[in-house]
Amino acid sequence: MAPLSHPSIQDGWFREISSQWPGQAMTLKVNKILHVEKSLYQDVLVFESETYGNVLVLDGVIQCTERDEFSYQEMIAHLPLASHPNPKKVLVIGGGDGGVVREVLKHESVEEVVLCDIDEAVIRVSKIYLPHMSALLESPRVTVFVGDGFKFLADNEATYDVIITDSSDPVGPAESLFQKPYFQLLHDALAPGGHISTQGECLWLHLPLISQLRNMTGDIFPIAEYAYTTIPTYPSGQIGFMVCSKDATRSLKEPLRKIPDTRYYNENVHRSAFVLPEFARAILAEGRDIRPLFGRAAATLKASSEGKKTRKILLLGSGFVARPCAEYVVRDPTNELTIACRTLSSAQALSEGLPNATAISLDVNSQADLDAQVAAHDLVISLIPYTYHATVIKSAIKGKTHVVTTSYVSPAMKELDEEVKQAGIVVMNEIGLDPGIDHLYAVKTISEVHEKGGKIKQFLSYCGGLPAPECSGNPLGYKFSWSSRGVLLALLNSASYLSEGKQVDVTGSELMGYAKPYFISPAFAFVAYPNRNSVPFREFYNIPEAETIIRGTLRYQGFPEFIRALVQLGFLDATEKEWLTENLTLAEMTQRAIGANDSSESALVSRIKSICRFPDESESTRIISGFRWIGLFSSEKVKPRGKNLLDTLCAQLETLMKYEPGERDLVMLQHKFVVEWQDGTQQILTSTLERYGSPAGHSAMAVTVGVPCGIATQLVLDGVINTPGVLVPYTKEICEPIRAILEGEGLGLVERVL
């Protein structure tokens, strides 16, 4: 049996990361995972922590731990019960772990307790792993009802003396437990003079919500108060309760009896729980916000007081690199971002949670609509396919709107340079990862060497976006984070480079044959092959003295040979095949593609060996095993895509080679400079970026493309990059301001002398 795992547990630590408390997280060291399941309603996790005992987690959020649960259970129960003169019938909604019921039963007057929880899994799991909390669910005074709390309340009007809602946070299904219809149901289910207590969120994080709850409950109950407790494993170490009474003469703040066997609660703690810190009292009682202003809020106030102009930015595209770019742009409170995509839902998903961001639907094929939107903004970020960039620039020329792209400058874009200059706008390009960050550090080192009188004799630059080593366990050692078709077609591009003063031209069909092992670190088994045309960079980077210039791609060893075999067999052929129908099996498709005698595996393997001519049996076994993994010998029916082999292969690979939850990617970029100094000595200098993605956040590729783009956008808006024309980061004047900010973002390259 495989060991239990959970995406919120990484490197032996549980991390409670949630949009409900952005920018902070509780972490606990994990001894072992005890239970993982997906119930009908939520993700259920139980683990043994090093310092807090067993921990119950629902949907990634800590519900209780053996060490500190008592502070919450005691306070949510005893505040409404101890202030009620004679509670007999009590209803607990939620709280399937049994902790609240345990506390309720400490009141001798209580004759009947009903626990209503919608998720039987919580009750079942708690009996196994939290028996000190759940044991009293077996008490004869307790009835357990598994079902919907809303319906239960509606069916039991004027019944209970006290109702306690032990709910999770107001996200998803639990959101309705923080709304007025629910509190009205609570009111109506109470007997005369009844009390309620509900989970009321954290003063440090949710004051606006608490204020709404206070006002809303005040409209329903004659007495509505907020009280709180401290508990180290809840966000910010504090959680509160809305405590209300139907009897206007009651004092919820005054306990009427002592409660035995408590660890946190006592009469003085009861009274003090309603005494709020001044920042909370001022908001809840007077509507005054005296909390300190900092970060974005302070910047917004400063910009407003200084009369700074609002800048409008249009972001075209909602691909995976767009979010880090958008997050960077909206850091400046004077920036208003419009995210445009053909499908409105995609734009809305990208804009969710971003301040000053609006989503719209826009089809860039509609020239009139594109012109209107571009003209209405100060700058447009084009993250759509590069074939559209020239069209976007033409709209920008009409609207006198700046443009930023991460793409190489195409001939069609370059042709617009004079018109761009006449319009007085900046069109900044090639500012992602590769191209982008690679330019910044190539220009830096080359400039420094030249200033010291040295010469660049060789320049080698390789970059790869790969799965992290622990996630690369498939025959290709690769996973798709963008278009599989784009990845495979790029492997058929021709390439040119300089080697010892001579130009070497490589056709697309030969490209994988030029892949060679490339050493960066003992930890990696990389191969490298040339990418596109490196020859012009002798001029672009101002290194006429360079004899070798190669810009290329990194992959793990074994990848090129596998791709080369697919090319030789015709699986990267994008021409239509009339015979490619869903009536064929995958094996029959392979037979037709390679001209085998029949579709048996032995016939297919024999034909593959005759076409590919593998160098040895070991390599033959490795690659043919990979074809078997892809399904090329399978009896399953083909799912044709595009009536061609390339797209049909893509459909097969996309399922097999996608990033799974909890997996991360790796970006590796390295420049290697062979430098000759004035005294004739030589040195090898390197600049290296090794960046891993976050399974709970952005991929490394998204960050290293999106953040440089966002930085360039801000510098254009601020007038730092201000020369009109179609620009590329090949000069110190453009590169240095971007690089300085990039390093502040933790995305600088590590420079070494070998």
Side-chain angles (χ1 to χ4, degrees):
M1 179 180 172
L4 293 175
S5 63
H6 194 275
S8 63
I9 297 175
Q10 300 288 333
D11 301 321
W13 287 81
F14 167 80
R15 299 177 301 167
E16 187 185 54
I17 297 173
S18 172
S19 60
Q20 298 169 81
W21 35 90
Q24 67 182 67
M26 179 69 183
T27 63
L28 290 175
K29 192 169 184 182
V30 178
N31 285 343
K32 60 182 175 180
I33 300 175
L34 300 173
H35 184 85
V36 176
E37 77 169 275
K38 292 276 188 185
S39 76
L40 292 174
Y41 301 97
Q42 55 203 336
D43 177 270
V44 182
L45 164 68
V46 184
F47 65 87
E48 178 190 288
S49 73
E50 185 172 277
T51 51
Y52 279 82
N54 289 355
V55 181
L56 173 65
V57 179
L58 300 179
D59 283 338
V61 177
I62 294 172
Q63 302 300 305
C64 55
T65 82
E66 288 185 290
R67 177 176 172 179
D68 65 4
E69 54 83 15
F70 61 86
S71 70
Y72 174 81
Q73 319 292 349
E74 290 179 11
M75 293 296 280
I76 198 172
H78 300 319
L79 290 175
L81 284 162
S83 56
H84 191 289
N86 189 29
K88 294 183 178 181
K89 298 185 71 175
V90 178
L91 171 63
V92 178
I93 295 178
D97 52 55
V100 172
V101 170
R102 178 194 66 201
E103 297 305 316
V104 171
L105 292 175
K106 292 177 181 178
H107 293 259
E108 292 181 356
S109 64
V110 172
E111 299 171 353
E112 177 187 347
V113 184
V114 176
L115 172 73
C116 177
D117 196 305
I118 199 168
D119 195 346
E120 65 80 27
V122 176
I123 301 169
R124 168 172 44 83
V125 169
S126 297
K127 287 180 178 179
I128 300 170
Y129 298 106
L130 299 166
H132 73 290
M133 295 175 66
S134 60
L136 289 180
L137 294 179
E138 306 298 329
S139 166
R141 287 193 285 168
V142 177
T143 302
V144 176
F145 175 80
V146 176
D148 181 9
F150 271 81
K151 186 175 186 308
F152 193 90
L153 287 169
D155 292 343
N156 290 273
E157 290 190 4
T159 302
Y160 295 100
D161 299 306
V162 174
I163 302 175
I164 300 166
T165 304
D166 179 11
S167 71
S168 53
D169 298 294
V171 174
E175 185 176 4
S176 59
L177 304 182
F178 291 77
Q179 295 171 351
K180 193 167 187 176
Y182 180 72
F183 282 95
Q184 189 63 56
L185 281 172
L186 291 175
H187 176 277
D188 296 345
L190 286 174
H195 292 181
I196 68 162
S197 176
T198 71
Q199 193 267 100
E201 296 300 328
C202 174
L203 290 171
W204 294 101
L205 299 171
H206 307 117
L207 259 179
L209 172 63
I210 293 168
S211 183
Q212 292 173 18
L213 287 173
R214 176 84 175 268
N215 293 335
M216 181 174 61
T217 53
D219 291 338
I220 299 172
F221 294 90
I223 299 179
E225 301 285 357
Y226 178 87
Y228 71 95
T229 188
T230 63
I231 177 167
T233 55
Y234 280 10
S236 297
Q238 180 266 331
I239 194 76
F241 317 101
M242 289 307 307
V243 189
C244 307
S245 175
K246 287 179 82 169
D247 187 337
T249 66
R250 295 265 170 84
S251 172
L252 295 170
K253 301 176 183 180
E254 193 61 40
L256 302 178
R257 69 189 73 84
K258 287 189 175 184
I259 312 301
D261 304 322
T262 59
R263 290 188 170 99
Y264 187 94
Y265 176 91
N266 60 40
E267 296 97 312
N268 288 329
V269 167
H270 183 126
R271 297 182 186 98
S272 65
F274 295 89
V275 180
L276 303 183
E278 183 60 15
F279 75 91
R281 188 207 64 79
I283 284 185
L284 297 183
E286 302 171 12
R288 288 188 304 116
D289 191 346
I290 61 172
R291 292 173 295 174
L293 281 178
F294 59 93
R296 182 182 178 81
T300 301
L301 183 63
K302 184 171 184 259
S304 175
S305 65
E306 293 174 354
K308 282 192 175 178
K309 178 188 171 187
T310 297
R311 284 84 63 90
K312 296 184 177 181
I313 301 98
L314 176 66
L315 192 158
L316 300 177
S318 59
F320 77 106
V321 303
R323 179 73 185 204
C325 177
E327 288 174 353
Y328 188 90
V329 169
V330 297
R331 288 186 198 177
D332 187 323
T334 63
N335 291 341
E336 291 183 357
L337 181 65
T338 303
I339 298 172
C341 189
R342 185 173 57 185
T343 54
L344 180 60
S345 59
S346 297
Q348 289 171 331
L350 179 58
S351 65
E352 185 177 356
L354 292 177
N356 282 13
T358 306
I360 65 168
S361 173
L362 176 64
D363 185 350
V364 294
N365 292 302
S366 170
Q367 192 65 56
D369 291 345
L370 180 63
D371 287 349
Q373 286 296 335
V374 171
H377 292 80
D378 299 299
L379 184 147
V380 55
I381 304 169
S382 185
L383 296 179
I384 52 181
Y386 76 94
T387 51
Y388 289 101
H389 290 335
T391 301
V392 172
I393 294 170
K394 289 174 183 176
S395 293
I397 291 168
K398 296 176 194 173
K400 298 190 182 306
T401 302
H402 301 302
V403 180
V404 175
T405 84
T406 59
S407 303
Y408 285 105
V409 174
S410 66
M413 295 161 69
K414 194 153 187 65
E415 286 176 5
L416 298 171
D417 184 51
E418 193 55 43
E419 292 180 61
V420 167
K421 289 176 179 175
Q422 290 175 6
I425 61 172
V426 171
V427 177
M428 184 70 216
N429 306 281
E430 300 188 23
I431 192 60
L433 168 64
D434 175 10
I437 295 177
D438 57 344
H439 294 328
L440 306 183
Y441 281 85
V443 169
K444 175 182 185 291
T445 300
I446 290 167
S447 298
E448 290 171 350
V449 169
H450 284 171
E451 287 166 5
K452 295 175 183 177
K455 295 179 179 180
I456 305 292
K457 302 303 288 183
Q458 295 182 38
F459 172 68
L460 293 84
S461 176
Y462 290 104
C463 184
L466 298 156
E470 72 274 13
C471 307
S472 61
N474 64 53
L476 282 86
Y478 190 81
K479 295 200 172 184
F480 296 113
S481 58
W482 62 292
S483 162
S484 59
R485 193 178 207 271
V487 170
L488 294 179
L489 283 177
L491 301 171
L492 297 176
N493 288 338
S494 59
S496 298
Y497 61 93
L498 292 176
S499 178
E500 298 178 350
K502 296 179 181 179
Q503 180 168 328
V504 180
D505 298 312
V506 183
T507 64
S509 60
E510 298 174 318
L511 185 63
M512 291 298 100
Y514 277 74
K516 299 288 188 293
Y518 191 78
F519 179 84
I520 290 179
S521 159
F524 300 97
F526 288 130
V527 292
Y529 54 87
N531 180 31
R532 297 176 177 257
N533 187 0
S534 303
V535 177
F537 283 87
R538 181 152 63 174
E539 176 187 347
F540 294 162
Y541 287 165
N542 189 29
I543 45 175
E545 72 274 21
E547 297 167 356
T548 297
I549 299 178
I550 304 177
R551 300 175 79 250
T553 301
L554 293 173
R555 292 289 181 260
Y556 291 127
Q557 286 184 18
F559 177 90
E561 295 83 0
F562 202 104
I563 295 297
R564 191 179 188 188
L566 287 172
V567 171
Q568 290 172 331
L569 297 173
F571 279 102
L572 269 60
D573 182 359
T575 59
E576 270 198 25
K577 311 290 182 190
E578 289 299 325
W579 53 263
L580 186 56
T581 69
E582 57 192 15
N583 294 324
L584 296 175
T585 66
L586 285 163
E588 289 167 342
M589 176 192 73
T590 303
Q591 177 198 356
R592 295 288 297 268
I594 67 177
N597 292 331
D598 58 59
S599 63
S600 67
E601 182 169 321
S602 59
L604 297 177
V605 168
S606 176
R607 180 61 177 159
I608 288 170
K609 286 182 176 180
S610 70
I611 294 173
C612 296
R613 300 183 183 277
F614 300 114
D616 53 51
E617 190 59 32
S618 173
E619 187 71 346
S620 170
T621 300
R622 181 181 74 84
I623 292 178
I624 289 171
S625 296
F627 290 161
R628 187 177 294 110
W629 175 80
I630 290 174
L632 297 185
F633 310 147
S634 169
S635 60
E636 289 185 21
K637 291 292 185 181
V638 174
K639 296 176 182 175
R641 181 191 287 180
K643 294 287 287 183
N644 66 71
L645 290 170
L646 170 66
D647 288 318
T648 302
L649 177 66
C650 287
Q652 194 74 2
L653 294 180
E654 284 165 7
T655 302
L656 295 168
M657 295 171 61
K658 65 180 185 294
Y659 280 92
E660 299 293 343
E663 293 188 331
R664 59 180 185 159
D665 69 329
L666 161 70
V667 162
M668 181 68 78
L669 165 65
Q670 187 183 75
H671 295 325
K672 187 178 290 182
F673 309 86
V674 177
V675 178
E676 183 177 277
W677 298 108
Q678 286 178 313
D679 61 3
T681 59
Q682 284 197 344
Q683 275 186 325
I684 297 176
L685 313 179
T686 62
S687 305
T688 307
L689 173 67
E690 180 181 337
R691 175 84 180 199
Y692 291 89
S694 167
H698 297 309
S699 70
M701 184 62 72
V703 170
T704 53
V705 174
V707 172
C709 181
I711 291 170
T713 296
Q714 192 64 53
L715 291 175
V716 172
L717 290 169
D718 292 342
V720 176
I721 299 174
N722 57 20
T723 303
V726 177
L727 306 183
V728 284
Y730 299 165
T731 64
K732 284 178 64 177
E733 292 72 26
I734 292 177
C735 290
E736 287 193 352
I738 300 174
R739 182 175 51 78
I741 299 172
L742 190 76
E743 290 177 353
E745 297 292 319
L747 292 174
L749 272 62
V750 176
E751 297 171 296
R752 290 196 175 98
V753 178
L754 298 186

